[in-house]
Amino acid sequence: MTKIRIAIQKSGRLNEESLQILKDCGISIDNGKDQLKASSRNFPMEVFYLRNGDIPQYLRDGVVDIAIIGENVLIEKGEDISVAEKLGFSKCKVSLAVPKSVKYNSVKDFEGKRIATSYPNTVLNYLKEKGVKADLHIISGSVEIAPNIGLADAICDIVSSGSTLFKNNLKEVEVMLKSEAVLAVSPKINEERKELLEKLQFRIQSVLRARGSKYVLLNAPNDKLDGILKLLPGMRSPTVLPLADEGWSSVHTVINKDKFWEVIDELKKAGAEGILVCPIEKMVL
């Protein structure tokens, strides 16, 4: 049986969130401790656990067909590799940072400066666009210590919460790009595996829609129903059902998670009562 081969990060937050989305897609992975390759029990898939920075080359060579990888890594090492789906998790920024004591005016301040980074292509392309030339020190691993030991004047690195910069007495001054996990595709994927990719994408899209939505049930007096319905979105339109109590209806709909609290506040003002909010496991359109 043909199996689609997917690469995910060997360890860390991206590994955990990648396995979680596969699990939410109903795919069970038989992976033991320290395994570098595992198979699914219920979907034609093999999972390869790889170093994040190595994944673009594995895709390029056709060793794996697809990968869940940080968009920032593709920008640095795999701009020739296509993205099938943005996944909405493991969000971060790739930023330039300087010591807190340094007064910063603009990106022109990096002219002639020493920048420590493990993202040389990203930095060079960004500075070239800005007409700035700097001296790069390429470091594999933690770069935050570089200014403290005199190795560099600034750093370029991934920023999530900013706590690592704070601990190393640094401040973020330029956001070069924003990144999230993506589903990347090998240029050498064959037709059989493309069909499996389409099936996987269908499941992923259903999971992502559900993650971004809430199912809402509420009670509404019929004389206020029109005003309440105007506030409500829905996959097609809200569902309205009569209640046992005369003059009342039950309204069911789906609300975007990002707009949830704003809509709820408006519904209460419009006369909605007994508002019940439920998570959605899957949403198939």
Side-chain angles (χ1 to χ4, degrees):
M1 179 189 292
T2 299
K3 294 185 177 183
I4 193 164
R5 301 162 299 176
I6 184 171
I8 66 172
Q9 186 174 293
K10 188 176 179 181
S11 60
R13 179 183 164 200
L14 185 52
N15 166 274
E16 295 168 4
E17 293 183 307
S18 299
L19 289 173
Q20 184 61 52
I21 197 167
L22 292 178
K23 182 179 179 181
D24 291 346
C25 288
I27 298 172
S28 301
I29 308 298
D30 291 321
N31 59 313
K33 187 177 181 182
D34 298 326
Q35 274 187 279
L36 297 180
K37 188 173 82 168
S39 295
S40 168
R41 295 194 302 271
N42 57 358
F43 191 86
M45 173 183 285
E46 286 183 317
V47 181
F48 290 70
Y49 300 93
L50 304 173
R51 288 180 65 250
N52 212 31
D54 294 338
I55 290 176
Q57 192 60 49
Y58 277 79
L59 286 165
R60 197 175 284 116
D61 293 341
V63 176
V64 295
D65 306 301
I66 56 175
I68 297 177
I69 186 172
E71 194 175 8
N72 57 297
V73 179
L74 283 188
I75 291 170
E76 177 64 28
K77 295 186 174 183
E79 285 194 311
D80 56 322
I81 296 167
S82 62
V83 171
E85 201 80 44
K86 292 197 173 188
L87 301 176
F89 57 80
S90 291
K91 293 185 178 182
C92 66
K93 298 172 286 185
V94 180
S95 301
L96 289 164
V98 299
K100 290 179 183 176
S101 58
V102 173
K103 183 181 178 182
Y104 182 78
N105 299 302
S106 74
V107 69
K108 298 294 183 183
D109 291 356
F110 288 104
E111 182 70 39
K113 294 294 193 295
R114 300 166 299 162
I115 302 174
T117 186
S118 52
Y119 295 91
N121 294 328
T122 303
V123 178
L124 285 174
N125 290 337
Y126 182 80
L127 294 181
K128 185 178 179 180
E129 287 178 5
K130 304 294 183 180
V132 174
K133 291 184 179 180
D135 180 21
L136 297 192
H137 288 257
I138 302 171
I139 298 175
S140 179
S142 300
V143 300
E144 296 87 358
I145 196 173
N148 293 330
I149 62 175
L151 181 64
D153 304 301
I155 69 162
C156 162
D157 202 11
I158 291 174
V159 177
S160 295
S161 66
S163 61
T164 303
L165 292 181
F166 181 80
K167 290 174 185 176
N168 286 276
N169 206 32
L170 300 171
K171 61 183 179 182
E172 180 184 53
V173 292
E174 290 284 332
V175 176
M176 294 188 295
L177 62 92
K178 294 182 178 180
S179 171
E180 63 184 89
V182 297
L183 183 67
V185 183
S186 167
K188 295 186 177 181
I189 188 171
N190 63 31
E191 290 303 317
E192 280 185 292
R193 289 179 172 130
K194 279 183 182 178
E195 290 182 13
L196 292 174
L197 171 59
E198 288 175 5
K199 290 181 180 180
L200 177 62
Q201 274 190 268
F202 175 78
R203 295 191 186 195
I204 288 174
Q205 289 164 1
S206 298
V207 169
L208 294 180
R209 279 193 292 266
R211 287 183 179 182
S213 305
K214 297 287 186 183
Y215 189 74
V216 177
L217 302 86
L218 59 88
N219 295 331
N222 289 343
D223 60 349
K224 296 183 179 179
L225 195 55
D226 287 344
I228 288 171
L229 292 178
K230 287 177 182 177
L231 298 171
L232 290 174
M235 287 183 286
R236 191 173 297 273
S237 66
T239 300
V240 180
L241 300 170
L243 289 179
D245 286 348
E246 190 174 342
W248 285 80
S249 294
S250 174
V251 179
H252 301 222
T253 193
V254 173
I255 295 179
N256 184 291
K257 187 174 69 173
D258 294 335
K259 298 178 180 178
F260 171 74
W261 287 112
E262 297 171 25
V263 175
I264 292 297
D265 287 341
E266 292 299 315
L267 289 172
K268 288 177 65 180
K269 290 178 185 177
E273 297 181 12
I275 301 172
L276 179 64
V277 182
C278 306
I280 303 172
E281 187 174 326
K282 309 286 187 297
M283 188 185 295
V284 181
L285 299 181

